Amino acid sequence: MKRLIVLAIFAFAIFSIDAQVQVNKPAGLDNLIQTRTAQKMNPNATTHGYHILIFNGDDRNKAEKMKSKFDSEFESHSEVVWDEPNFKVYVGAYTSKFECMKLYEEIKGKYQTAIVASAKINYPPLD
């Protein structure tokens, strides 16, 4: 019994060694946290960004069809916007032009009138 107690004390002493963990934050993490905090505090806030205009016309039905066609082909944010006197279909919501150009390169063959537009956009959805 004494041996068992001594063995238990010895095992406890070995496993109770203090260890230190070092965590390194990736670059840009602080800015991302600030952006996401601002978005949670004001969900209607906007930021400077880019999206792609794939339709511009006065026919709402055509705009809705274009949006539906895009949604079935690609997994990206799209919306129909009334900008008097036209309906516009915007796709994507990117904070950098580089990211927006990736989508543009994918869709430019199917949507020949697509153009990259700089505008105020809503913050991208939280993942």
Side-chain angles (χ1 to χ4, degrees), residues 23-85:
V23 177
N24 296 320
K25 292 190 293 187
L29 181 63
D30 291 331
N31 289 337
L32 179 63
I33 291 171
Q34 289 175 352
T35 301
R36 296 305 187 189
T37 303
Q39 181 184 8
K40 284 183 178 182
M41 292 174 65
N42 186 0
N44 297 325
T46 59
T47 185
H48 177 73
Y50 301 90
H51 45 205
I52 301 170
L53 176 68
I54 62 171
F55 178 83
N56 184 17
D58 61 354
D59 190 346
R60 182 181 187 141
N61 290 331
K62 285 184 182 179
E64 293 291 343
K65 286 179 184 177
M66 185 70 73
K67 180 186 182 315
S68 296
K69 178 183 174 190
F70 180 83
D71 289 343
S72 67
E73 294 175 2
F74 298 95
E75 291 184 19
S76 184
H77 172 75
S78 65
E79 64 180 331
V80 176
V81 176
W82 167 249
D83 186 13
E84 192 174 343

